[in-house]
Amino acid sequence: MNEPFETAVRRHAATVLRVCRAVLGPGADAEDAWSETFLAALQAWPTLPAGTNVEAWLVRVAQRKAIDVTRGQARRPAPTDVPPEAESSLGIPGVDGEVWQAVARLPERQRLAVAYHFLGGLPHAETAELIGGTPEAVRRAAADGIKTLRRRYQPDVPTEGAIR
């Protein structure tokens, strides 16, 4: 890869963090997955073929790291006294935590479709490869997820096909 790794981090860090937060919810797990994504990417960077869609590749790495975090959560003991979660030092300009909570409450398939397609920028076909199913099913799940989020944030706006 001819592009310096630092440039790729600057260009795609926000996208990868949005995907990690959408998949894992806001908090330390998403930030851990983000860090693990870029550590793995740094190791693979010298062998990455020229012409690779770096953003799509990083989103795929983030997806795998998010799976690792999810599997790790299942193996960890549950804490009894959880300290209040601190605000992320990275933050997301213009977006509050309420949106991420709403995304986290979506059914898993819709959440993953929204995360990989709308936040990660993957086409429906690549998203279907990641989460399984057909591109059409992923398109439907993503549309249903966005529809649910719109209803939640714009309850007075009629949805397509709604009786007025």
Side-chain angles (χ1 to χ4, degrees):
M1 180 57 63
N2 294 333
E3 180 181 25
F5 183 73
E6 295 80 14
T7 303
V9 172
R10 268 188 256 116
R11 185 176 302 150
H12 304 295
T15 299
V16 171
L17 184 58
R18 283 192 299 265
V19 168
C20 291
R21 285 183 173 166
V23 173
L24 297 168
D29 287 338
E31 293 176 14
D32 288 347
W34 180 89
S35 298
E36 292 295 324
T37 297
F38 282 103
L39 285 174
L42 179 60
Q43 291 176 338
W45 192 255
T47 60
L48 192 64
T52 299
N53 180 342
V54 174
E55 185 174 58
W57 176 69
L58 286 170
V59 168
R60 285 178 169 264
V61 173
Q63 184 256 347
R64 291 183 189 114
K65 295 303 175 186
I67 289 171
D68 291 347
V69 168
T70 302
R71 288 179 180 155
Q73 288 172 341
R75 289 181 285 222
R76 277 186 258 154
T80 54
D81 292 324
V82 179
E85 199 161 301
E87 187 79 19
S88 168
S89 61
L90 297 174
I92 298 177
V95 177
D96 62 18
E98 185 179 330
V99 171
W100 297 115
Q101 295 294 336
V103 171
R105 285 192 299 264
L106 290 173
E108 182 179 8
R109 191 156 183 83
Q110 291 178 13
R111 179 171 40 85
L112 295 176
V114 167
Y116 297 135
H117 180 69
F118 290 105
L119 302 176
L122 293 181
H124 291 301
E126 288 187 37
T127 302
E129 289 177 22
L130 291 177
I131 66 174
T134 64
E136 293 77 21
V138 167
R139 183 185 321 271
R140 181 77 255 164
D144 289 347
I146 292 297
K147 183 177 172 183
T148 300
L149 293 173
R150 283 187 179 138
R151 271 196 311 249
R152 193 165 288 148
Y153 287 98
Q154 299 173 334
D156 298 332
V157 175
T159 58
E160 186 177 315
I163 298 171
R164 296 181 187 197

